[in-house]
Amino acid sequence: MKHTHTRTHARLGAAVAAVLAVAAVGGAVTVPAYAAAPVAVRAAADAEQAAPLDIPLDSVLLTAGRTGFLSRTGTDAHPVHRWTPYDGGRESVIFAAGERWGSPGTDLVVSRAGAHYTFTDMTGATPTVSVDLSGTATPYTLLRVVGSTLVMETTTAGGREELHLVSVEGGEVVDRPVALPEADGALLTYPAGADGLAVLHRATVDGVPRLRVGVVDLATGALPEAYDLGEGTDRERITVSATRVAWIEGADSAAPRLTVVTRRSSAPPVRLPVEYGSGARGVLLHLTGAEWVTSVKPGGGTATGGDPADHALTARRLTDGNQAYPLLDHVASAGRDRNGDLLVLGGDVDQGEGLYRVETDQVTGLPAASLVRGFGVPTALTLVGETAPAAGTLDFDRADTVLAGRWTFSRTNASAQVKVRHTATGRTVTLNARQDGAAFSVAWKGRWENGIAAFNGAYTWTMTARPANGIGPDVVRTGSFAVTRAPRPHDFDDNGAADLLVREADGRLALRDARQLMTIASPHVPYRYEIGRGWDAYDRIVTPGNIGGTSHADLVARDRAGVLWYYAGKAKNFAPRVRIGGGWNTYATLAGGSDVTGDGRPDLLATDRAGVLWLYPAKGDGTFAARTRVGGGWGGYDRLTATGNLAGGAAGDLVARDRAGVLWLYLGKGDGTFAARTRIGGGWGGFTELVGAGDVDGDGRADLLAASEGPVGPDGLPETLLSLYRGTGLWKTPFAAPVKNPGGALGNLGEDLY
């Protein structure tokens, strides 16, 4: 658990010395001098009493002072700086455009206009002082402010890079160069406590070039102490306190180490292993108290990945560094106040985003983080707005029907998914939400991930939003709805779309989605639902549509003894068979699926071995009325397919293929007879199956599926090729040009298609 504590408000105080204005040789230099207070008076608040922060959430903390802190927002080209008191009694001061520097541990803010620098005491206790550096021999660049010392960088006429300390001593301006051993100057500078400075520099020791961090004596510019850095040290993140120096060696290696050196001591360094899933480079270190070091990878609040443990601010005891104590869930930026306490802009799942102070708890002796001022914004991902999917019934037969939902969260670094589940089958589809800033939306049009239409029935949906940085719990919302689709003649799985029934070589009967078969391409695998085994007991299977009065398509099958059986359709299966009658082995062909009599029910047609066509009108209860003779001469056809209404007439139609491969259309007249045949065309002899599969393409017209054998596949069986002949509604040209499956062969679908 995190170690937190709370404190009551304390009165703010400030110890500010007099301002000295003096002139320097070569130009006017005026700087203020401040006497260091032995102990800075601090303020904090508990989570319930913390005053709200009036700065933007993306502010960067630059320096922490005695009574407030300096922050920055905006771009490097157009920064906005603010000074914000800790106590919340005053609003933040917004500075005019331009550069600003803070002096760590003080309430000074330094601004620049050309070569003029202005010191502003944010408590108002001392007047503003302007410093003119335009008369210096070479241009100075301000790097940072330490106490009342300006840390300046310049390049001499001879090309040597120098670091200068500009301060006031005894009423005189002193400009001291820092005694760096190499000509390339300071590589980086670091604050060393509230009144100290450290520099990264190169030095040659005993003829060996080294990279060192040295602590500067501000009174002389000398480097009385310097420490060699190890291989792979993260130079950007070295930290120096009044008693120690710390860095991470091997930052990019598999085994980075936190190294802590005690200043002015011959004691060996303390080396502690640290683990960061994304590497240890960029880890922010801070030495606190007598025996603690904190570390964190900043930026976790806006991170879009990574291990949440990397984002957490943790503390390690130097004497037992294997134990990490979590303090905050993330840190955006940080600075140290006069006492060396760490102040961070960051967040905690329990207390939210805000300004936190990290210091050693007086009771437990452990570091603890307390909220000073809060943004009023949660750290955990939080739902702030919702338009939930409708809870009613959706009719996906309408083109404009969608299941739509929209959720707005407290932050943008998140992802959201909606899982839709069909209650009866457990089938699910996962929808990745579309992101628009902090809003996430889905629009489901009623299709599973494999492209087939969703089934009728009850559904549930579950929206799960996950913080991309892994900080805090997921957000979960749930709901329910129902789907209804109109029954279709060749729909066997209750989703309103045409299906194919396939009898496979081993006698299994399987369901395939006809539209998916005509659109799927390799390497995707077509949908297959197994209905059952033992269907090789039948020598004829017919799919006449709904002949039993339910909303599902039915099936009739003739066994090898000539008995005809009725299978009432259920969603994705059939009820136990019911015997219709014997003697059906007198027929050479059976066809069903067209309403020949005009009573709204599909009928059964059969040709006997003498070539006579017989009609069995459906009674609507799964049985048929006595047969009537349609006519003779049908023995010349090897295929009869009941297609439903092809040409828009009063009744269902029939197509017949003769043994020469010519396909003929018989238009139903609605009285149990057909009009004279119309020639559709030749070349149909190469098809192994002709299936009146209903409306395959969804345009409202009946279509025809034609199967043929393709090349032999890896299983040694010929692959199945499908061609879709779309219905046109015209009796002279009932089918459009064939459309083939875009992926070509579909593997061996089976021995028979229905």
Side-chain angles (χ1 to χ4, degrees), residues 230-248:
E231 290 292 329
T233 294
D234 185 354
R235 305 178 185 183
E236 300 286 340
R237 298 299 189 181
I238 298 172
T239 184
V240 184
S241 72
T243 58
R244 292 182 176 86
V245 183
W247 61 82
I248 290 182

Side-chain angles (χ1 to χ4, degrees), residues 77 148 320 380 740 744:
S148 57
D320 182 18
K740 298 184 182 300

Side-chain angles (χ1 to χ4, degrees), residues 20-31 115 130-137 140 150 152 164-169 171-176:
L20 301 177
V22 296
V25 177
V29 180
T30 309
V31 296
S130 178
V131 180
D132 181 9
L133 295 179
S134 59
T136 55
Y140 279 15
L150 300 174
M152 314 293 289
H164 285 245
L165 307 174
V166 178
S167 60
V168 175
E169 297 177 10
E172 298 290 333
V173 171
V174 178
D175 184 349
R176 293 189 180 90

Side-chain angles (χ1 to χ4, degrees), residues 580-592:
I580 294 176
W584 287 79
N585 51 358
T586 61
Y587 296 114
T589 62
L590 296 174

Side-chain angles (χ1 to χ4, degrees), residues 16 90 107 120-127:
V16 184
R90 292 166 290 160
D107 293 330
T120 302
D121 179 3
M122 299 311 300
T123 67
T126 58

Side-chain angles (χ1 to χ4, degrees), residues 556-590:
V556 295
R558 184 183 71 186
D559 65 24
R560 301 187 189 282
V563 178
L564 194 66
W565 300 89
Y566 165 62
Y567 285 86
K570 300 193 303 182
K572 302 183 73 172
N573 216 315
F574 297 100
R577 69 182 185 174
V578 176
R579 190 177 190 273
I580 294 176
W584 287 79
N585 51 358
T586 61
Y587 296 114
T589 62
L590 296 174

Side-chain angles (χ1 to χ4, degrees), residues 360-512:
T360 303
D361 189 280
Q362 300 293 329
V363 177
T364 66
L366 300 174
S370 58
L371 184 64
V372 180
R373 294 184 64 178
F375 281 106
V377 174
T379 295
L381 184 68
T382 305
L383 183 67
V384 298
E386 177 182 32
T387 303
T393 299
L394 299 179
D395 180 6
F396 283 116
D397 288 331
R398 294 181 49 182
D400 59 346
T401 299
V402 293
L403 177 78
R406 182 180 175 88
W407 298 266
T408 303
F409 299 97
S410 57
R411 54 178 65 248
T412 60
N413 55 330
S415 63
Q417 290 183 329
V418 175
K419 181 174 286 188
V420 178
R421 183 179 184 273
H422 185 231
T423 304
T425 64
R427 189 177 184 89
T428 62
V429 60
T430 300
L431 312 171
N432 291 318
R434 179 180 178 274
Q435 183 174 4
D436 181 14
F440 293 79
S441 59
V442 294
W444 187 52
K445 297 184 178 180
R447 291 200 171 271
W448 301 117
E449 289 173 332
N450 60 6
I452 70 171
F455 312 126
N456 284 317
Y459 284 78
T460 60
W461 60 265
T462 302
M463 187 284 298
T464 303
R466 294 181 172 86
N469 57 10
I471 297 174
D474 296 344
V475 177
V476 178
R477 303 287 287 173
T478 61
S480 61
F481 64 100
V483 169
T484 180
R485 316 186 89 114
R488 295 290 187 270
H490 225 263
D491 173 23
F492 296 99
D493 57 0
D494 199 30
N495 69 347
D499 301 311
L500 274 183
L501 291 182
V502 178
R503 183 167 62 182
E504 298 169 349
D506 59 359
R508 302 184 198 204
L509 190 67
L511 182 151
R512 304 286 192 145

